[in-house]
Amino acid sequence: MRVLVTGGAGFIGSHVVEALRAHGHEATVFDIRSDPAHDVRDPDAVRRALSGVDAVCHQAAKVGLGTGFGDAPDYVSHNDLGTAVLLAAMAEAGVRRLVLAGSMVVYGEGRYDCPRHGVVRPGPRSVADLDAGRFEPRCPHCGTWLEPGLTAEDAPLDPRNVYATTKLAQEHLAAAWARSTGATAVSLRYHNVYGPRMPRDTPYAGVASLFRSALARGEAPRVFEDGRQRRDFVHVRDVAAANVAALEAEPPPGALTAYNTGSGTPRTVAGMARALAAACGGPEPVVTGEYRLGDVRHITADSSRLRTELGWKPEVEFEEGMREFAAAGPRDGAP
């Protein structure tokens, strides 16, 4: 299969390219990093790149929480306009297979259980609670502190920031394209991806990258809130393997199929920071109590659907992955 990988020179995309080639596929990189003319928002460049292509693995995106709402036009331009241009060109060229780099941020907060009301959806945490160090979400019905659980693909979608909103819009565009053309579309909703080639800290970098950069400077990682917020950290090679599995699968045509792509093992942010500090031989993390509006408290993956339907499973153990990540040098530039 000849696969066009948008963003194929980036952190995740470069691993996807390697995994595709290892499985006997021809992977073509389309990335503005390797060629300034390879802008996914340029219809002519995209049309040329799609010549002879069997499938597209769409990794190109502006990522991260951003630095304020002033970033909104840039996010929408790169993520949503870029995706619309790509899909329009695919429809014209007759390319009918897409794998999209989705994100767990489309869920907003994860799954929560109230002892009185069962599964509930908390609203955004109040500034008053955050300022007072009360970080756990409350039941919207009775105000009780909630117990987090694993989030499945059928959870309600509730993007809480500009980046999250653009990632959900990408899925809606892909679903509309699949319905219109009878094509197959898969969104892999990545959880917290880490591993070699992760970029050095930028305003858009992941928390693992920020912690590693601090440790490289001999500084303690600064952990926001109380450090007990839960995430699912999944190694980039496992994510790349999920992309290959999705490209080789036969999902139902005319619709978008979403899969959580995570390890399935919840870990606290402070726990990750401690593991990384130990792997680096650096100072213990410092829990600061700071917070960012727009951050969610807990979001961890139920990835059983991906395992069952595509036969995928994560292979890199967390401690092994953290040691490798600590030893790998940081990469310049945004992912």
Side-chain angles (χ1 to χ4, degrees), residues 25 35-36 64 115 200 233 267 311:
H25 300 291
D35 187 337
R200 69 175 67 249
F233 296 98
R267 298 184 186 276

Side-chain angles (χ1 to χ4, degrees), residues 167-231:
K167 295 306 291 183
L168 182 54
Q170 284 185 312
E171 289 195 358
H172 288 323
L173 287 165
W177 166 80
R179 286 193 297 270
S180 174
T181 61
T184 63
V186 171
S187 178
L188 297 175
R189 291 175 178 165
Y190 301 160
H191 283 247
N192 291 74
V193 186
Y194 73 97
R197 298 179 214 148
M198 195 172 190
R200 69 175 67 249
D201 45 16
T202 73
Y204 313 99
V207 66
S209 178
L210 296 173
F211 290 168
R212 184 182 61 182
S213 294
L215 288 161
R217 296 190 300 268
E219 300 171 3
R222 293 174 60 82
V223 180
F224 281 13
E225 301 190 15
D226 59 3
R228 297 175 185 168
Q229 56 271 47
R230 299 183 356 164
R231 297 292 187 268

Side-chain angles (χ1 to χ4, degrees), residues 3-328:
V3 183
L4 182 69
V5 183
T6 70
F11 166 44
I12 297 175
S14 63
H15 286 275
V16 171
V17 168
E18 289 179 357
L20 284 167
R21 291 172 178 168
H23 281 77
H25 300 291
E26 181 182 348
T28 301
V29 173
F30 186 86
D31 195 309
I32 200 168
R33 299 170 189 81
S34 54
D35 187 337
H38 287 176
D39 188 336
V40 77
R41 296 167 294 180
D42 182 339
D44 292 334
V46 173
R47 289 190 193 101
R48 289 192 295 270
L50 286 172
S51 177
V53 163
D54 302 303
V56 173
C57 187
H58 185 30
Q59 305 291 317
K62 187 177 180 67
V63 302
L65 183 60
T67 56
F69 199 82
D71 287 339
D74 204 25
Y75 273 96
V76 171
S77 175
H78 281 87
N79 296 355
D80 299 337
L81 175 60
T83 298
V85 168
L86 173 66
L87 294 173
M90 290 174 67
E92 179 183 326
V95 180
R96 297 290 183 262
R97 186 180 294 266
L98 171 73
V99 173
L100 171 68
S103 175
M104 54 85 175
V105 295
V106 299
Y107 298 115
E109 289 284 356
R111 176 193 166 106
Y112 291 93
D113 291 279
C114 171
R116 290 179 57 191
H117 296 99
V119 178
V120 297
R121 294 287 297 174
R125 295 175 291 172
S126 72
V127 171
D129 274 346
L130 293 169
D131 283 343
R134 297 187 293 266
F135 299 117
E136 295 296 337
R138 299 173 182 265
C139 175
H141 307 295
C142 65
T144 300
W145 305 113
L146 298 172
E147 180 67 25
L150 298 181
T151 303
E153 291 86 354
D154 60 357
L157 304 179
D158 183 20
R160 298 282 176 93
N161 55 57
V162 169
Y163 170 63
T165 301
T166 65
K167 295 306 291 183
L168 182 54
Q170 284 185 312
E171 289 195 358
H172 288 323
L173 287 165
W177 166 80
R179 286 193 297 270
S180 174
T181 61
T184 63
V186 171
S187 178
L188 297 175
R189 291 175 178 165
Y190 301 160
H191 283 247
N192 291 74
V193 186
Y194 73 97
R197 298 179 214 148
M198 195 172 190
R200 69 175 67 249
D201 45 16
T202 73
Y204 313 99
V207 66
S209 178
L210 296 173
F211 290 168
R212 184 182 61 182
S213 294
L215 288 161
R217 296 190 300 268
E219 300 171 3
R222 293 174 60 82
V223 180
F224 281 13
E225 301 190 15
D226 59 3
R228 297 175 185 168
Q229 56 271 47
R230 299 183 356 164
R231 297 292 187 268
D232 186 318
F233 296 98
V234 58
H235 195 276
V236 66
R237 285 198 300 275
D238 287 329
V239 168
N243 276 271
V244 175
L247 283 162
E248 293 179 343
E250 294 296 336
L256 177 120
T257 306
Y259 293 102
N260 285 335
T261 307
S263 71
T265 302
R267 298 184 186 276
T268 67
V269 172
M272 184 275 286
R274 286 192 295 270
L276 187 56
C280 290
E284 283 284 302
V286 174
V287 177
T288 69
E290 298 171 85
Y291 66 86
R292 296 192 306 181
L293 285 175
D295 280 357
V296 299
R297 177 61 174 173
H298 304 293
I299 176 71
T300 52
D302 178 352
S303 296
S304 58
R305 181 179 183 182
L306 181 58
R307 295 171 186 243
T308 300
E309 295 187 9
L310 301 190
W312 171 91
K313 65 176 181 176
E315 300 288 349
V316 181
E317 294 292 336
F318 178 73
E319 289 75 14
E320 172 196 345
M322 281 291 140
R323 287 192 295 270
E324 180 190 26
F325 180 56

